[in-house]
Amino acid sequence: MAPSLPRPQRVDVQIAAASLLCGLVLEALGLHSQGGRLFGGHWSLLPLFVLAGLELLRSSRPQTALACGTLALVADQFTSGNLASILMFTDIVYAAVVYGTPAAARRIPVTTGLVTVAVTLGFLAWFQEAEAVLIGFVTGVVSFAPATTGVLVRNHREAAEAAKLRAEQTALLAEMDRAQAVGAERARMARELHDMVANHLSAIAIHSTAALSLDDPRTSKDALAVIRENSVDGLAEMRRLIGILRDQSGDLEPAAAPTLDGLATLVGNARTNGLDVTLDDARIPEGPKLPTPVELAAYRIVQESLTNALKHASPGRVTVSLVQEPRALTVRVTSPYGDPSGPRAPGSGAGLVGMRERTELLGGTFESGPESSPDGKVWNVFATLPVDPADEGAKE
């Protein structure tokens, strides 16, 4: 079964109808493009109708229309001719370049150019008069000119499509970058929120559980004092975080970020909450100042480790040690590993994820898990944070 012809586009139908109407008007008025041909009378209508029919294929089958249109134009030269037939052929040549394959778009201008040169030289050699150049000029206007015009239009369209594609790709990349930036900022704020309030809320949960489970007025009073202190500190941290979120200055770093100078206070609060904590700070007092992101990451790692020890560790000593090496700061927190005997707060594992993210953002290494020690099984948190001068500009 032969494939059916494609449905012509509306613009092709309009061009074909208008061209045919103009040709019929010219024929009715007796206006012809040439005289003294082999077939006179109304024979010129035959090429006119053929070319009008081929105009319907100018967009869908441009190469077929060009091949058949060339034969129709040659046939038109044996009749009295019609100006509309010539104009329709020029449009078919133009459409063959614009809507044809890339190979046809490259080949047609070259072919029509060679035909124009050959016709000019051929008629000049035949007539041996300068007027023969006019025949070549007309041939170029009918064939080569619409072909080159089609090349210009096609190149312009391809350039516009390429620019549109580049713009869409650029917009897509910008959206991906924006989404990644939003995701990174959300993760950073989630880490800050967790690290700021998890320690206080864990202490509140544990001491409130102890106060409810023990019928001892003094114990309940001490627990309420700890609960109040942690509530006040937690509210202060929340206000600071909300202030960061509302800040429109574009400063993405936390205001008044904690440093390692506050470790003693942090350890003191942990002892108040019931942990037996030992701090071994082996940093060099007169050494170079650590980059702010490194100090913040180290502080948060110690803070979260103490929070986890408060929630999950069994009774025993928790050890916090810091060692400043020439190119790195190492943080190690060990706590007794086992089932705690007292009240405990639930955990989601977000703390370990946050500590690992903080370490990896600075290009360091992070390890956590149970291991054996002379004092029994312990939970070990170990982080190495690079402090090279090149890393001083690293951002959280």
Side-chain angles (χ1 to χ4, degrees), residues 256-324:
T259 65
L260 293 179
D261 294 336
L263 280 184
T265 303
L266 183 63
V267 170
N269 292 336
R271 290 178 181 141
T272 302
N273 292 330
L275 283 180
D276 181 9
V277 186
T278 299
L279 175 60
D280 181 13
D281 190 352
R283 291 180 297 147
I284 305 174
E286 63 277 5
K289 181 175 176 59
L290 294 172
T292 300
V294 173
E295 288 210 26
L296 176 60
Y299 181 93
R300 293 303 190 196
I301 289 173
V302 173
Q303 182 185 45
E304 181 58 30
S305 298
L306 294 178
T307 300
N308 288 341
L310 180 64
K311 293 191 295 184
H312 305 298
S314 58
R317 174 159 296 183
V318 178
T319 302
V320 178
S321 64
L322 286 84
V323 178
Q324 184 171 349

Side-chain angles (χ1 to χ4, degrees), residues 97 101-111 151 154:
V97 176
T101 62
R106 293 190 299 267
R107 184 175 62 251
I108 292 173
V110 175
T111 302
V151 169
R154 185 184 182 107

Side-chain angles (χ1 to χ4, degrees), residues 19 37 78 99 141 147 181 258 296 298 392:
S19 301
R37 299 301 178 178
F78 293 95
Y99 301 111
V141 170
L296 176 60
E392 292 184 1

Side-chain angles (χ1 to χ4, degrees), residues 6-344:
R7 183 182 182 87
Q9 299 184 13
R10 175 177 297 182
V11 65
D12 298 342
V13 175
Q14 293 172 348
I15 292 175
S19 301
L20 181 59
L21 180 61
C22 290
L24 293 176
V25 171
L26 293 175
E27 183 69 24
L29 295 175
L31 299 177
H32 301 282
S33 59
Q34 54 204 6
R37 299 301 178 178
L38 181 61
F39 300 98
H42 298 296
W43 280 99
S44 61
L45 292 177
L46 181 60
L48 177 67
F49 277 96
V50 172
L51 288 167
L54 294 175
E55 283 280 26
L56 300 176
L57 304 177
R58 62 188 296 274
S59 300
S60 56
R61 297 287 181 84
Q63 293 175 255
T64 301
L66 178 60
C68 297
T70 302
L71 296 177
L73 184 67
V74 172
D76 187 64
Q77 303 308 305
F78 293 95
T79 69
S80 55
N82 193 305
L83 182 60
S85 298
I86 298 175
L87 294 178
M88 282 190 287
F89 178 77
T90 60
D91 180 68
I92 290 174
V93 174
Y94 165 83
V97 176
V98 173
Y99 301 111
T101 62
R106 293 190 299 267
R107 184 175 62 251
I108 292 173
V110 175
T111 302
T112 55
L114 293 176
V115 169
T116 301
V117 173
V119 169
T120 303
L121 296 178
F123 278 95
L124 188 62
W126 185 11
F127 294 131
Q128 295 183 356
E129 293 181 3
E131 287 78 3
V133 177
L134 294 176
I135 300 175
F137 176 75
V138 173
T139 304
V141 170
V142 172
S143 60
F144 183 67
T148 53
T149 303
V151 169
L152 295 176
V153 173
R154 185 184 182 107
N155 290 340
H156 176 73
R157 288 183 178 180
E158 291 178 349
E161 291 177 358
K164 181 180 178 182
L165 179 60
R166 286 195 299 270
E168 291 175 351
Q169 291 176 343
T170 301
L172 179 60
L173 292 175
E175 179 62 22
M176 292 174 62
D177 291 341
R178 187 197 68 82
Q180 291 177 354
V182 170
E185 183 62 12
R186 287 168 62 93
R188 188 184 74 85
M189 296 309 298
R191 289 194 301 270
E192 283 297 314
L193 178 62
H194 180 274
D195 294 344
M196 282 179 180
V197 302
N199 183 50
H200 300 298
L201 294 180
S202 298
I204 291 172
I206 291 174
H207 285 278
S208 61
T209 302
L212 292 172
S213 60
L214 299 178
D215 188 14
D216 184 356
R218 180 173 181 80
T219 302
S220 299
K221 184 177 180 180
D222 293 340
L224 289 174
V226 175
I227 290 173
R228 183 185 184 282
E229 180 182 356
N230 281 277
S231 300
V232 172
D233 292 343
L235 286 173
E237 295 283 6
M238 286 295 296
R239 291 192 189 99
R240 186 167 73 89
L241 181 60
I242 293 172
I244 295 173
L245 293 175
R246 289 179 174 174
D247 185 13
Q248 300 296 326
S249 63
D251 184 10
L252 299 180
E253 290 299 325
T259 65
L260 293 179
D261 294 336
L263 280 184
T265 303
L266 183 63
V267 170
N269 292 336
R271 290 178 181 141
T272 302
N273 292 330
L275 283 180
D276 181 9
V277 186
T278 299
L279 175 60
D280 181 13
D281 190 352
R283 291 180 297 147
I284 305 174
E286 63 277 5
K289 181 175 176 59
L290 294 172
T292 300
V294 173
E295 288 210 26
L296 176 60
Y299 181 93
R300 293 303 190 196
I301 289 173
V302 173
Q303 182 185 45
E304 181 58 30
S305 298
L306 294 178
T307 300
N308 288 341
L310 180 64
K311 293 191 295 184
H312 305 298
S314 58
R317 174 159 296 183
V318 178
T319 302
V320 178
S321 64
L322 286 84
V323 178
Q324 184 171 349
E325 300 175 352
R327 293 184 176 274
L329 173 70
T330 60
V331 180
R332 184 186 296 273
V333 181
T334 59
S335 57
Y337 182 72
D339 295 329
S341 57
R344 57 177 297 176

